[in-house]
């Protein structure tokens, strides 16, 4: 090594340390061995060896989502990088800050179809916020620091740095973070005050308002959630969260209407449809919320707060666009509201809450519980009760169990809910639980899973066992790809094409084969004791919770329908979805 210089591999390690990184999730291979050798020579950075590169990214997502920090991934070239693509796309869709370091063949072999070569920058360009191919070691340190800035600034997302093997061996200069500033990327964090003032006037004069809040509030940091709670309570207005926004507003608050969207609550969806002022803070008007765009909240004025300018007017035209960080915008809204001594229209708000109370009275999450069959909703309600006083983090796979978890497990604070929202990635929950448990070693981390999703990345049980991570996998086992079966039943004439799982493993034996603990409940009387045992064991646990095979997840807005066309239960299954009349009339919204 030359004087005052480091090898490329050493630059990578030093850059990570200077960025405050304490853990890396990865899998070694030939093109990245110099970095693994540098890792071996130090003790500050912890490396977690996953069993698949997709799982490395999901673990980093769980770590990032539960801490607010940047998650770091280290994979080799070729299949190592391509295996990471699903996780990178997942992180991009859900705005999770990730830096993924990938090895690459030596620079002189790039483009020659060398062993384990892939065009990583080309492949990952559509599924990352930004990516780099570093061909000169002199640019490596600067690129590392830039990547962290890009990943966590503005709308967060994944960044890939592709590092050829010869660059890892070469000697080069090290540049500390404080000497690096991105040349062009300067996301706008503070809003235009004129726009905020316009929004406050609209909010104050609303007759049927609603706060519609998303994952952007959580990404902004804990202050944003506190400010959101403060402002919502100041106004007295109702508030709903998206799937990714759960925890941004306390679920126990009487002003909270629950989650909205395809499997959101009756009251949240109808309030969104019938409102006259919609205050969107940190959500992106995705299709699972809007339903049929032409019929989405047709009578409302819409305010949209988002740090990503490209998200504004992308799906839904809004009346007051505000570009900025949620915390800064909320801070200004509260200040202006107080300074101008704004007050809501009490009489109109009273009528609005009376209408919402009628919708709530439908008790849309009610289900029929017939002993001894275990209903999945009941299992989650019992999990909620048994963990009420525990420091608990929930991850999920994707499917019916995910929606039931969102409906039946309340979140009082942000960063406690890790799920795959935008991409809907089966296999997300187990590795995400590993990343979350690494970040919070003394907390209870539960992956609410379905048997089909669990098997997508079940190899990560070996990771949990190796690192003695006491994660809990609660499998709501209905022996079907549950959400697929539900859609086939409701929308495809009950033709269950390839959705039944005919060859499932014995999950208790599977847990034991990995070195963990397996438990099973087959009837209602066993649920509490099995869940309590799961909680008490300080080892990786798989619970096979055998639930009703035919239970469907309601409410449900069928794909392509308006967001006020809601199936509330089995009685709605045989005919057209039930149109709920929520057209404003004389200040009221009528059922």
């Amino acid at each position: 090594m030359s004087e005052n210089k480091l090898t490329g591999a050493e630059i990578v390690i030093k850059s990570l340390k200077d960025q405050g990184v304490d853990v890396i999730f990865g899998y070694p291979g030939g093109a990245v061995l110099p970095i693994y050798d540098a890792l071996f020579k130090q003790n500050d950075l912890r490396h977690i060896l996953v069993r698949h590169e997709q799982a490395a990214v999901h673990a980093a997502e769980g770590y990032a989502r539960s801490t607010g920090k940047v998650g770091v991934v280290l994979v080799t070239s070729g299949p190592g990088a391509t295996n990471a693509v699903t996780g990178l796309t997942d992180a991009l869709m859900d705005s999770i800050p990730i830096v993924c370091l990938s090895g690459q063949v030596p620079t002189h072999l790039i483009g020659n179809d060398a062993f384990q070569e892939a065009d990583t920058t080309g492949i990952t360009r559509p599924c990352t916020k930004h990516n780099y191919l570093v061909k000169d070691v002199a640019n490596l340190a600067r690129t590392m620091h830039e990547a962290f800035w890009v990943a966590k600034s503005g709308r967060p997302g994944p960044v890939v740095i592709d590092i050829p093997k010869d660059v890892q061996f070469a000697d080069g200069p090290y540049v500390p973070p404080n000497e690096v500033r991105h040349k062009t990327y300067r996301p706008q964090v503070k809003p235009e005050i004129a726009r905020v003032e316009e929004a406050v006037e609209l909010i104050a004069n609303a007759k049927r308002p609603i706060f519609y809040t998303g994952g952007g509030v959580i990404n902004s940091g804990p202050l944003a959630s506190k400010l959101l709670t403060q402002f919502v309570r100041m106004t007295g207005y109702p508030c709903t969260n998206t799937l990714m926004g759960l925890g941004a507003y306390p679920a126990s608050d009487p002003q909270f209407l629950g989650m909205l969207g395809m499997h959101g609550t009756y009251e949240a969806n109808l309030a969104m449809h019938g409102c006259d002022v919609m205050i969107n803070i940190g959500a992106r008007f995705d299709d699972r919320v809007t339903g049929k765009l032409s019929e989405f909240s047709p009578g409302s004025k819409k305010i949209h707060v988002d740090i990503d300018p490209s998200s504004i007017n992308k799906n839904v035209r809004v009346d007051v666009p505000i570009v900025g960080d949620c915390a800064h915008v909320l801070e200004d809204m509260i200040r202006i509201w107080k300074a101008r001594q704004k007050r809501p229209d009490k009489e109109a708000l009273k009528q609005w809450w009376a209408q919402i109370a009628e919708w709530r009275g439908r008790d849309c999450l009610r289900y029929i519980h017939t002993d001894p069959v275990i209903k999945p909703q009941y299992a989650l309600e019992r999990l909620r009760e048994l963990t009420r006083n525990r420091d608990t983090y929930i991850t999920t796979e994707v499917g019916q169990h995910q929606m039931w978890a969102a409906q039946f497990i309340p979140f009082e604070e942000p960063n406690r809910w890790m799920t795959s929202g935008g991409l809907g990635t089966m296999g997300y929950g187990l590795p995400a639980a590993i990343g979350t448990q690494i970040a919070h070693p003394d907390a209870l981390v539960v992956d609410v899973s379905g048997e089909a999703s669990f098997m997508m990345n079940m190899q990560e049980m070996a990771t949990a066992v190796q690192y003695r991570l006491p994660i809990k996998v609660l499998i709501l086992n209905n022996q079907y790809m549950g959400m697929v079966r539900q859609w086939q039943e409701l929308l495809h004439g009950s033709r269950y094409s390839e959705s039944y799982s005919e060859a499932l493993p014995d999950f208790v034996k599977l847990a034991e084969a990995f070195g963990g603990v397996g438990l099973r409940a087959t009837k209602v009387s066993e649920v509490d004791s099995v869940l309590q045992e799961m909680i008490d064991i300080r080892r990786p646990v798989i619970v096979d919770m055998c639930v009703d095979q035919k239970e469907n997840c309601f409410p449900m807005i069928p794909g392509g329908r308006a967001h006020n066309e809601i199936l509330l239960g089995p009685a709605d299954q045989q005919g057209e979805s039930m149109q709920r009349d929520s057209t404003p009339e004389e200040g009221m919204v009528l059922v």
Side-chain angles (χ1 to χ4, degrees), residues 43-275:
N43 294 313
D44 296 323
L45 293 177
R46 186 182 184 189
H47 180 276
I48 302 300
L49 177 65
V50 297
R51 270 51 178 180
H52 192 284
E53 291 88 353
Q54 177 188 344
V57 186
H58 294 328
E61 287 185 273
Y63 177 91
R65 185 74 173 171
S66 67
T67 62
K69 299 178 181 179
V70 177
V72 179
V73 178
L74 180 57
V75 299
T76 194
S77 64
T82 58
N83 280 348
V85 165
T86 298
L88 293 170
T89 309
D90 190 273
L92 181 69
M93 292 286 280
D94 287 344
S95 304
I96 309 299
I98 299 291
V99 170
C100 177
L101 309 172
S102 60
Q104 184 54 275
V105 300
T107 52
H108 68 278
L109 291 179
I110 292 176
N112 290 336
D113 295 331
F115 177 67
Q116 290 194 331
E117 181 192 0
D119 179 9
T120 300
T121 51
I123 291 168
T124 63
R125 187 169 289 120
C127 63
T128 55
K129 186 177 178 182
H130 194 56
N131 63 14
Y132 301 87
L133 171 60
V134 182
K135 292 186 175 181
D136 186 342
V137 70
N139 299 324
L140 182 55
R142 178 174 295 276
T143 301
M144 289 285 296
H145 299 316
E146 271 194 15
F148 276 84
W149 164 257
V150 172
K152 65 187 177 183
S153 301
R155 179 179 177 177
V159 178
V160 165
I161 309 175
D162 203 29
I163 312 173
K165 193 169 184 178
D166 57 328
V167 173
Q168 298 171 42
F169 279 122
D171 293 343
Y174 181 72
V175 181
N178 59 3
E179 295 182 19
V180 175
R181 186 177 171 138
H182 198 283
K183 294 177 182 178
T184 57
Y185 184 53
R186 299 283 186 277
Q188 181 180 334
V189 295
K190 294 191 175 181
E192 295 179 35
I193 292 300
R195 289 292 196 185
V196 179
E197 292 172 339
E198 185 181 354
V200 168
E201 289 297 322
L202 197 57
I203 293 168
N205 293 318
K207 308 299 182 186
R208 300 181 307 280
I210 188 167
F211 282 89
Y212 155 41
T213 63
V217 178
I218 294 173
N219 286 339
S220 180
L223 177 60
S225 293
K226 291 177 182 177
L227 292 171
L228 172 66
T229 303
Q230 180 184 348
F231 192 40
V232 171
R233 287 173 175 168
M234 282 171 59
T235 62
Y237 295 169
C239 179
T240 181
N241 290 155
T242 66
L243 177 71
M244 295 303 295
L246 293 175
Y249 190 82
S252 62
D253 193 286
Q255 289 171 239
F256 184 59
L257 304 188
M259 181 180 73
L260 80 160
M262 180 171 280
H263 292 284
T265 65
Y266 183 73
E267 53 268 31
N269 282 310
L270 288 194
M272 285 282 283
H273 186 77
C275 70

Side-chain angles (χ1 to χ4, degrees), residues 458-474:
M458 64 181 179
Q459 76 283 342
E460 297 309 317
M461 279 299 293
T463 304
V465 170
Q466 177 178 339
Y467 294 99
R468 298 178 175 85
L469 304 175
I471 62 166
K472 321 299 181 186
V473 181
L474 175 58

Side-chain angles (χ1 to χ4, degrees), residues 311-383:
S311 288
I312 292 179
N313 291 323
K314 182 177 183 178
N315 297 325
V316 172
R317 297 293 300 179
V318 299
D319 300 278
V320 184
I322 303 175
V323 177
D325 179 84
C326 292
H328 287 290
V329 176
L330 285 163
E331 208 167 35
D332 287 337
M333 283 181 169
I334 291 169
R335 178 176 53 79
I336 293 167
W337 182 278
K338 288 180 176 178
R340 299 188 178 182
Q341 298 183 335
K342 294 295 181 184
R343 297 289 184 273
D345 183 329
K346 290 186 178 180
E347 186 55 37
L349 191 58
K350 181 180 178 181
Q351 293 183 48
W352 181 227
W353 274 112
Q355 176 59 81
I356 290 171
E358 283 190 38
W359 291 329
R360 277 178 164 166
R362 298 297 293 267
D363 193 11
C364 67
L365 298 181
R366 182 178 64 248
Y367 61 94
I368 299 172
H369 194 187
T370 53
D371 191 52
V373 178
I374 302 171
K375 292 291 186 178
Q377 303 97 318
Y378 176 77
L380 292 171
E381 285 184 324
R382 297 312 302 154
L383 176 68

Side-chain angles (χ1 to χ4, degrees), residues 406-464:
Q407 293 172 340
F408 287 91
I409 300 177
F411 296 92
E412 299 299 312
E413 55 188 314
N415 306 108
R416 299 301 177 117
W417 166 249
M418 279 58 67
T419 196
S420 174
L423 194 61
T425 307
M426 294 173 71
Y428 169 90
L430 174 55
I434 287 170
T436 303
Q437 190 78 79
I438 289 289
H440 308 279
D442 297 324
L444 174 65
V445 179
V446 181
D447 170 31
V448 177
S449 180
E451 77 287 343
S453 278
F454 172 75
M455 292 177 69
M456 287 281 189
N457 271 319
M458 64 181 179
Q459 76 283 342
E460 297 309 317
M461 279 299 293
T463 304

